[in-house]
Amino acid sequence: MVRHMVIALMLAAVPASALARPAQATPPQAVAAIPALGQRAAELVPLLNGGGDSAALFAPAFLAQVPDAQVRAIAGQLRERLGKALSVAAVEAVQPNAARIRISYERGIVSMNLAVEAAAPNRIIGLLITGTTATEASLDAVVAALKAEPGLTGFTLARLGDGAPVAALALDAERPAAIGSAFKLAILAELIRATNAGERHWDDLVTLDGSPLPGGLYTAKPAGTKVTLRELSDKMISVSDNSATDILLALVGRAKVEAMLPVIGWHDATRNRPMLSTLDMFKLKGVQGGALGRRWATLDEKGKRALLAGEIAAAPLSAIDPQLFRDGKPLMLDLEWFASAADMVRTMNWIRRNTERGAGAEARRILAINSGVGPAAAANWTYVGYKGGSEPGVISMNFLLQAKDGGWYALSASRNDAAAAVDEGRFVALMTRAVELAAAR
C-alpha cells in the first residue's frame, strides 16, 4: 500500500567490486573489456525476445539461482511492458569482464549490470536490471505522455534558489493528490527541525515498547529492542519501511508532524489532520470491509481524532483483512495522505535549505540512499534525493536534484486512478527519463 520500488528483476552472484567504480579525483580511465562481454550482451537480445539458449548463455551457478523459467518469465514481463527488444544501445565496461549495459526496446530502454566469466566460455555469471527509462526526446514529450495515461496526473520541475521554487514545467501542479509513502517526508522534516534545534540527535536510542506495528523490519522485534533514530530514518526513507515510520511518528508525535505541514509548504495541510500512521490507514481500509474508513469520511477533525483514539487504536492487527490490496484494485482513494506536486517541490526545497549545515545535514545522506531511478539516470547529477509512494491506483515520485554546475532542482509527479491500478513501470520509466532530460537543461 505505501511503498515504491525501482524494478530489479534478475539477480545472480556478482562480486560487489565487479561493478563498483572506485572514487577518483580525475575522470576514470577507459576499461579494456574482453571481447566476450559485448558478444554476450548482444546474445541477450534474442533471449529477451523469447528465443536464445539459456544453458549456453548463462553459467550453471547463475541458473541455479535464477532458473531458465524465471529468466524467461521476467523477459516476458519486459516485452509486455516495453515491446520487442531491439538492440544493445550501450556497453560501459567497469571491469574487463563486467559492464553496465543498456538494451533498447520498442517503448523504452532497460539498464542492466552484466558480468561474465573471465575465462572461456565466458558465460554470464551476473545480470541485474537496475532501471528502465522511456524514449521521449524532450521534457514536454514526457509531460504529454504522462497526461495521456489513464487517471489524473500532476507534474512539476522547478529551479530552487534563494526564494520560492520557480517552475520550469508544470501540469496541474497545485492539484492535491494521494501520495502514498511520500507522506513520510513530513516525518523526516520534523526530524530535521528537531535535530537542528538540538532537541533530538540521530544517535538517540529508541526503545521499542511492544506496541502493534504494521509490516516491516521491526514488527517482530521484542519489546526492549533499542534502535537509533538514524537507523529508523534510513529504513523509513530508503525502503519505505512502515514499521520504522510508525515508530518515528509515535516518537515525535502527530501534533509535531501536523505543525510541520504548512511550514514545509503543504497548502492544504488541514486535509492531512489528523496525521495518520500507516497502521491507522490499514485499519481504516481493512477492518470490516472498510467500515471504519467509511465512518471516518463523515467526521470532522474532532470526530476523527476521537475515532483514532478509540476504535482505531483498539482494533487488533488480526482484524485487518489479510488479503487487503492483493487483488491490485484501487481501494478508497479518498482515504490517503494528500499533497500536490507543487507541495512536494516546496517540501524538497525546505529540506534542501535546512540540511545545508548542522545536524540536519544527515538527512541529505538518508534521502540519497535510494535514488528512485537507478544509477544510470542518477549519474547525470551531483546529488539525487528521493522519496516515492504507491498503492493500487496511486503513485508519487519526488526528487531533490543538484546539477553538476551546483544548481538545485526539485521534480515531482503523481498519478491517481480510482478505476484501475497505475502502470507503475510506465510511470517510473517516464520519470526516469524526466530526471535524465532535466539534467541537460
Side-chain angles (χ1 to χ4, degrees):
M1 169 190 161
V2 281
R3 57 183 169 77
H4 186 63
M5 296 183 293
V6 174
I7 298 170
L9 297 176
M10 295 185 194
L11 178 63
V14 184
S17 60
L19 293 167
R21 180 180 290 156
Q24 300 181 29
T26 58
Q29 299 298 310
V31 174
I34 61 175
L37 193 57
Q39 178 185 340
R40 291 305 188 194
E43 289 171 350
L44 278 173
V45 174
L47 184 131
L48 292 169
N49 286 324
D53 183 349
S54 294
L57 187 56
F58 295 100
F62 181 101
L63 292 175
Q65 295 183 59
V66 189
D68 176 69
Q70 185 177 349
V71 172
R72 294 188 181 279
I74 292 166
Q77 293 170 13
L78 289 171
R79 290 196 303 277
E80 182 179 354
R81 180 173 296 161
L82 300 172
K84 183 181 178 181
L86 302 176
S87 63
V88 178
V91 177
E92 179 195 2
V94 294
Q95 296 289 334
N97 66 318
R100 297 181 178 94
I101 68 172
R102 288 161 68 90
I103 305 291
S104 293
Y105 279 73
E106 291 175 318
R107 296 190 297 275
I109 296 172
V110 179
S111 297
M112 303 181 185
N113 290 341
L114 171 69
V116 303
E117 296 167 322
N122 305 114
R123 293 165 297 190
I124 292 173
I125 58 173
L127 187 65
L128 173 68
I129 295 175
T130 59
T132 63
T133 185
T135 57
E136 275 69 12
S138 68
L139 281 166
D140 286 335
V142 168
V143 173
L146 286 168
K147 187 176 182 179
E149 292 290 309
L152 299 176
T153 298
F155 174 97
T156 188
L157 169 67
R159 297 182 183 89
L160 308 180
D162 294 335
V166 178
L169 193 61
L171 169 68
D172 293 331
E174 293 285 358
R175 181 170 58 201
I179 58 170
S181 281
F183 90 95
K184 297 170 185 180
L185 286 171
I187 300 175
L188 182 66
E190 165 56 20
L191 289 167
I192 293 168
R193 184 207 64 77
T195 53
N196 276 336
E199 299 169 10
R200 298 187 186 278
H201 305 87
W202 296 106
D203 289 325
D204 287 348
L205 288 172
V206 181
T207 302
L208 305 190
D209 62 5
S211 297
L213 291 169
L217 296 171
Y218 305 96
T219 305
K221 298 288 186 183
T225 298
K226 296 182 184 298
V227 59
T228 64
L229 279 183
R230 177 181 285 105
E231 179 184 326
L232 290 168
S233 300
D234 281 358
K235 297 300 186 289
M236 176 179 72
I237 297 299
S238 67
V239 296
S240 211
D241 188 279
N242 290 334
S243 61
T245 300
D246 283 12
I247 293 166
L248 288 170
L249 181 59
L251 177 72
V252 303
R254 295 181 200 270
K256 289 287 183 70
V257 178
E258 290 166 5
M260 285 301 296
L261 298 181
V263 173
I264 62 179
W266 290 28
H267 282 184
D268 190 13
T270 57
R271 193 168 184 181
N272 295 285
R273 295 202 309 255
M275 172 59 67
L276 294 168
S277 71
T278 59
L279 185 55
D280 294 334
M281 190 70 76
F282 287 131
K283 289 181 178 180
L284 286 168
K285 295 193 179 192
V287 172
Q288 297 176 0
L292 287 174
R294 288 189 292 274
R295 285 178 53 198
W296 177 271
T298 68
L299 300 173
D300 61 12
E301 184 176 328
K302 181 178 179 180
K304 288 176 180 177
R305 291 192 187 278
L307 189 62
L308 270 179
E311 291 181 59
I312 294 174
L317 291 175
S318 60
I320 301 171
D321 181 359
Q323 299 302 312
L324 193 64
F325 303 111
R326 296 287 175 82
D327 62 6
K329 296 179 180 178
L331 179 63
M332 302 174 74
L333 296 192
D334 55 334
L335 266 175
E336 251 276 357
W337 300 273
F338 292 91
S340 68
D343 290 340
M344 301 309 290
V345 162
R346 288 186 283 266
T347 297
M348 288 301 197
N349 193 36
W350 185 93
I351 289 174
R352 174 186 70 94
R353 288 179 168 178
N354 288 273
T355 56
E356 290 178 343
R357 60 187 64 86
E362 175 70 1
R364 281 200 189 177
R365 181 197 63 80
I366 293 168
L367 202 59
I369 296 171
N370 174 4
S371 73
V373 291
N380 295 296
W381 299 88
T382 298
Y383 175 87
V384 179
Y386 170 76
K387 185 70 190 82
S390 67
E391 67 165 282
V394 172
I395 192 167
S396 173
M397 297 183 73
N398 309 280
F399 300 89
L400 176 62
L401 306 163
Q402 186 179 32
K404 297 292 178 69
D405 65 5
W408 286 92
Y409 296 80
L411 173 64
S412 174
S414 61
R415 176 174 299 140
N416 291 177
D417 188 348
V422 172
D423 183 345
E424 292 192 12
R426 174 63 170 161
F427 190 92
V428 172
L430 285 168
M431 288 302 293
T432 300
R433 186 59 175 152
V435 169
E436 292 175 341
L437 292 167
R441 290 182 69 87

